[in-house]
Amino acid sequence: MSHAGGDERLKYGELLVIGYNGSLPGGNRGRQRSRMPLFRRPTANGVKPSLGGQAWQQEDSSQSGHSVSFGVPGHHPLVINYVQDDTTDMFQVGRSPEAPIDMVVSGRRQGDELGGVCTVSRFACRLICQRNPPHRARLYAAGFDTSNSIFLGEKAPKWQGSSGEMDALTTNGVLLMQAPNSGECAVWREVSVGGQVFPLSEMRSSRHPEALVRNETNELQDGSLIDLCGATLLWRSARESFSGSYLPYLKSHNTPPLSLATSSAGSASHLEACLTCGHVVQVQTVKRQEWTCCARTLQLGGSSDIGYSVAKSGQSDVCHGQYRSTDRCPTCQVQGNYSPLSLGCEAGLCVDDGPPTHAFVPCGHVCSGPTARFWATTGLPHGTQAFHAVCPFCGRQLTGEKGYVELCFDSEQ
């Protein structure tokens, strides 16, 4: 297990919110942040169902113990009492800023349109981590509120198992995608309050779960994706942690591997790429809003320098960093849009340590080739039925033939 930044506490892993490039728009503060490390607690706070603790009874808010209540029409709720588990730690995620929530999520990806309704539950899910080796982490739907209770209303899908135990799905659902093995296709599953795994229903709000998937579990693996119906999280296990893209370079240099923006008296420049062919140009803006020929050297995290140049001048068509769709690449003359390039700085969202050679379309976030291919072929839930591939660094839906383009720094101009 790892110890981050000299912290002597044992670290189980980290949760990262998809769609944020290392920080929330207002900054990471307290329990509301884009990246949350989970450490072993000084005192265990995990809970587990009590043996023989299931009974039909009227809810009693004066009880201090944890409980899960299942609302049934015409009856008192069926309540399962939970007891302290000294071998586990519990962490909860949700929209509520109240004390039981360890990681507060906003419920809207950065790339979503403003004004959208937040659909993440106030107490969305909980993670149970083993305090002793091998420190497994498991995902469960729903979290305990300030009265240490989970209440599943009459509309929540619920059922009684063959042994008589009750279980349920939450109204909005908690979905899990495990990291695929080599040659396998990853699929989304739904996790119940009791931690069982089910295939997705035709509608996310379906009241009847599909058949139980018996050969899969709710144990999180490095790279597991968790969707809370409005926010998607990535689990990075401390056992499988790696340096992340660009990190070796950033440790040995005071500047990023891509010089994306420079400025001087009366002028400024930045890199942009044609999103059709991938050719990179450096755009220079001066006081008269002209852009001129320029030649610079770019270093991609390695020892070799790659030169590139731009051979075009005239009145600028720049408008908020975008060129008109009628523009043509000055290198190969293909028609296409341009986008400013920016680094995907959140290393935990990368799948390897490779150099930043590809850019997502249409946002222009730069990352390695394997990282671009992974996220372009991974559909994240959108609404009740749709799945969209998005840029992991900003949350914008990917477009174009592949969703990304390989960058080309032409040195022959």
Side-chain angles (χ1 to χ4, degrees):
M1 299 298 291
S2 67
H3 299 81
D7 197 321
E8 293 303 319
R9 293 177 296 171
L10 184 142
K11 182 178 177 182
Y12 298 122
E14 292 182 310
L15 288 171
L16 293 84
V17 185
I18 302 300
Y20 297 95
N21 197 13
S23 176
L24 299 177
N28 292 329
R29 296 186 178 91
R31 293 173 294 140
Q32 190 165 7
R33 53 183 59 244
S34 65
R35 183 179 190 141
M36 179 69 73
L38 304 185
F39 294 98
R40 184 166 60 183
R41 299 183 185 276
T43 303
N45 72 331
V47 294
K48 60 184 179 181
S50 172
L51 294 176
Q54 177 173 298
W56 299 95
Q57 63 184 60
Q58 189 170 355
E59 288 187 285
D60 185 0
S61 59
S62 64
Q63 293 183 352
S64 59
H66 292 74
S67 64
V68 177
S69 302
F70 301 84
V72 180
H75 294 273
H76 288 309
L78 179 62
V79 179
I80 299 180
N81 293 310
Y82 278 61
V83 296
Q84 183 73 27
D85 183 1
D86 294 333
T87 67
T88 62
D89 286 332
M90 179 171 65
F91 302 90
Q92 300 201 138
V93 182
R95 176 170 46 90
S96 173
E98 297 180 81
I101 295 299
D102 297 283
M103 184 178 187
V104 181
V105 295
S106 65
R108 185 183 64 83
R109 296 192 188 101
Q110 186 172 328
D112 291 345
E113 295 182 2
L114 295 177
V117 177
C118 179
T119 54
V120 175
S121 299
R122 296 173 65 245
F123 302 91
C125 71
R126 62 195 191 278
L127 278 69
I128 301 294
C129 301
Q130 292 179 340
R131 292 175 60 85
N132 299 318
H135 304 292
R136 292 189 176 94
R138 295 183 179 274
L139 174 69
Y140 298 82
F144 294 97
D145 60 19
T146 53
S147 62
N148 294 331
S149 300
I150 295 175
F151 180 76
L152 287 309
E154 296 181 3
K155 293 184 178 180
K158 60 183 71 68
W159 62 92
Q160 194 167 21
S162 57
S163 301
E165 74 285 357
M166 287 292 293
D167 202 353
L169 303 175
T170 55
T171 303
N172 290 345
V174 173
L175 307 188
L176 172 65
M177 176 188 282
Q178 300 286 18
N181 296 321
S182 178
E184 295 183 0
C185 181
V187 294
W188 284 99
R189 303 297 194 192
E190 185 162 6
V191 178
S192 71
V193 176
Q196 298 185 93
V197 178
F198 296 87
L200 296 188
S201 303
E202 291 186 6
M203 293 290 292
R204 186 161 186 164
S205 57
S206 173
R207 293 180 57 122
H208 303 286
E210 301 292 334
L212 177 68
V213 181
R214 299 187 180 278
N215 61 340
E216 297 181 21
T217 72
N218 61 336
E219 181 181 339
L220 298 179
Q221 306 167 5
D222 183 58
S224 294
L225 290 168
I226 304 168
D227 188 81
L228 304 179
C229 191
T232 304
L233 311 178
L234 174 68
W235 170 256
R236 297 313 306 256
S237 170
R239 298 193 303 271
E240 304 294 338
S241 61
F242 70 105
S243 60
S245 185
Y246 327 130
L247 199 56
Y249 186 95
L250 295 176
K251 285 182 177 180
S252 58
H253 295 71
N254 293 324
T255 56
L258 277 172
S259 179
L260 299 181
T262 60
S263 61
S264 59
S267 66
S269 63
H270 62 274
L271 296 181
E272 299 198 358
C274 175
L275 299 181
T276 302
C277 63
H279 280 106
V280 176
V281 299
Q282 181 165 356
V283 177
Q284 185 166 345
T285 304
V286 296
K287 289 183 178 180
R288 291 186 300 172
Q289 293 186 339
E290 296 175 349
W291 60 299
T292 60
C293 302
C294 57
R296 294 292 184 270
T297 299
L298 182 71
Q299 191 173 30
L300 287 178
S303 58
S304 61
D305 291 339
I306 302 176
Y308 65 92
S309 62
V310 180
K312 187 175 181 180
S313 63
Q315 291 297 317
S316 173
D317 287 329
V318 177
C319 179
H320 302 294
Q322 297 286 343
Y323 292 98
R324 297 179 304 182
S325 60
T326 56
D327 282 350
R328 292 183 178 275
C329 171
T331 301
C332 65
Q333 298 301 307
V334 68
Q335 182 173 317
N337 291 317
Y338 278 80
S339 175
L341 298 180
S342 57
L343 279 174
C345 296
E346 179 52 83
L349 299 175
C350 302
V351 302
D352 69 337
D353 292 319
T357 56
H358 291 63
F360 288 110
V361 178
C363 60
H365 277 105
V366 180
C367 62
S368 69
T371 296
R373 286 187 287 272
F374 172 80
W375 289 106
T377 55
T378 301
L380 302 187
H382 184 84
T384 59
Q385 289 180 294
F387 294 86
H388 294 161
V390 304
C391 170
F393 304 108
C394 68
R396 289 186 65 180
Q397 182 178 347
L398 302 182
T399 60
E401 181 181 354
K402 295 186 293 185
Y404 63 89
V405 64
E406 183 175 1
L407 300 177
C408 179
F409 303 93
D410 196 337
S411 60
E412 297 180 358
Q413 287 290 323

